Amino acid sequence: MAGPTSAAKTAAKARLAARFGGSTRTGGKGAVRRKKKTVYKNSSNDEKKLTNALKKLQANNIPGVEEANIFMNDGNVLHFDAPKVQAAINANTYVIKGRSETKPIADMLPSILSQLGSDVPNWEALAKNMRSQDGNPSLPAVDEEDSDDDIPELVENFEEASEKQ
């Protein structure tokens, strides 16, 4: 009686590997196979380490922060809406926790004009890009003829009305 050939053995091993997967074996040869490989999350350990480091720095919570923006060199803004902010002033360390979004400066411009300084990267390119976009709500078209239409004209004399009282 002849045994299976080496080609048949390799084909059978390939079928078994495809069926059971190569990463499900927990130990060496002869060990029990698991049906699912579990992945452990270490986020709780990271959170504990961060909390302990902030306690050592004596960081205090700063209440009432509605939003935080971090301006990046590539012209984008890292925007945090309702973040949790902690500060350790003596160590010059600030921690901002929360859900963040990366947005272009042009999308946030009407609301963040007061936060912009003179050192905004690519300021000229940003202004040129915003002018080239037609129908942009952040830069309304100015019509000098229509600007007087918004102001109502006076109908009665208010000085006479105040003297009557």
Side-chain angles (χ1 to χ4, degrees), residues 22-74:
S23 65
T24 57
R25 187 179 298 268
T26 58
K29 185 175 180 180
V32 178
R33 289 191 175 110
R34 283 190 281 173
K35 294 185 180 190
K36 181 181 175 185
K37 185 175 182 180
T38 58
V39 178
Y40 296 104
K41 297 181 180 177
N42 291 332
S43 63
S44 62
N45 283 343
D46 293 341
E47 185 70 28
K48 288 178 185 177
K49 287 180 183 179
L50 179 63
T51 305
N52 288 335
L54 290 173
K55 283 182 183 177
K56 288 180 184 177
L57 292 174
Q58 298 173 349
N60 297 323
N61 288 337
I62 300 177
V65 178
E66 295 176 7
E67 69 174 358
N69 295 316
I70 298 175
F71 297 94
M72 296 186 280
N73 290 335
D74 62 353

Side-chain angles (χ1 to χ4, degrees), residues 86-108:
Q86 294 178 322
I89 308 267
N90 54 357
N92 198 17
T93 304
Y94 300 90
V95 178
I96 302 173
K97 292 182 188 178
R99 188 168 296 247
S100 67
E101 299 176 77
T102 303
K103 298 180 179 180
I105 290 180
D107 290 351
M108 307 221 11

